[in-house]
């Protein structure tokens, strides 16, 4: 269980670093907006909404992991949930890790592209929507059939 506790601690550190770096990148781009091409208000509102939502989700995960690290029962529940063979097989079949990395990478690219070009921003958002839809359909299919 100590290995798992270390894994959770590293995950918490990664999530905190990710949260801080996202805010830093957004603030740098926002504060240097005068030297960048003019962006529409819709994109800026979308950026603020995505950053807020993603930040809340990251912080919820951090709190969930910190709570699990304090309570042995919660840590054991989390360990069982993460090492469930059926869930692992479904994630492997759907390529969940690779698709998640694609979604995150395209999302970061879309946010940065939104400061420069609206067409590229909308194209990347369309790609994210398509990948998310495919991932969701795979999950539904494998949950039903396995």
């Amino acid at each position: 269980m100590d290995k798992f506790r270390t894994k959770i601690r590293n995950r918490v550190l990664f999530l905190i670093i990710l949260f801080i770096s996202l805010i830093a990148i957004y603030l740098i781009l926002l504060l240097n907006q005068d030297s960048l091409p003019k962006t529409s208000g819709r994109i800026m509102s979308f950026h603020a909404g995505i950053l807020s939502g993603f930040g809340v989700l990251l912080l919820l995960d951090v709190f969930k992991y910190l709570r699990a690290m304090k309570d042995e029962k919660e840590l054991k529940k989390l360990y069982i949930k993460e090492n469930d063979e059926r869930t692992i097989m479904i994630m492997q079949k759907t390529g969940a890790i690779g698709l998640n990395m694609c979604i995150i990478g395209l999302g970061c690219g879309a946010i940065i592209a939104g400061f420069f070009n609206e067409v590229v921003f909308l194209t990347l958002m369309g790609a994210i929507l398509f990948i998310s839809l495919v991932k969701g359909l795979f999950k539904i299919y494998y949950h039903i059939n396995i």
Side-chain angles (χ1 to χ4, degrees):
M1 199 56 79
D2 287 335
K3 276 185 172 179
F4 187 67
R5 189 180 300 274
T6 303
K7 181 179 176 182
I8 296 298
R9 186 177 303 119
N10 291 340
R11 194 177 296 169
V12 167
L13 289 174
F14 173 74
L15 291 174
I16 291 171
I17 290 169
L18 180 65
F19 179 72
I20 291 170
S21 63
L22 281 176
I23 291 176
I25 289 170
Y26 185 74
L27 286 176
I28 288 168
L29 288 171
L30 190 64
L31 294 175
N32 292 321
Q33 202 171 12
D34 298 334
S35 61
L36 299 174
K38 183 75 175 152
T39 58
S40 71
R42 292 183 318 202
I43 292 177
M44 294 305 294
S45 298
F46 186 82
H47 284 163
I50 289 293
L51 182 68
S52 300
F54 196 59
V56 167
L57 291 176
L58 283 174
L59 290 177
L60 286 175
D61 277 349
V62 166
F63 291 136
K64 176 180 78 171
Y65 292 139
L66 289 175
R67 189 178 67 220
M69 286 174 58
K70 290 179 183 176
D71 186 14
E72 198 65 34
K73 282 184 180 180
E74 290 290 323
L75 189 64
K76 191 166 182 152
K77 273 188 200 177
L78 188 62
Y79 179 80
I80 291 170
K81 181 181 176 186
E82 287 193 10
N83 292 304
D84 180 39
E85 293 170 0
R86 181 174 184 264
T87 305
I88 291 171
M89 188 172 73
I90 289 173
M91 288 191 56
Q92 288 173 346
K93 291 260 188 199
T94 60
I97 295 172
L99 289 177
N100 286 344
M101 294 306 291
C102 287
I103 291 170
I104 291 170
L106 289 173
C108 292
I111 289 174
I112 292 169
F115 284 96
F116 299 101
N117 190 329
E118 187 173 354
V119 174
V120 174
F121 170 76
L122 293 173
T123 304
L124 289 173
M125 290 309 299
I128 292 169
L129 182 63
F130 176 74
I131 292 172
S132 299
L133 183 66
V134 168
K135 180 183 172 193
L137 290 174
F138 275 151
K139 267 189 163 179
I140 291 170
Y141 174 79
Y142 285 116
H143 272 287
I144 291 171
N145 292 326
I146 293 180

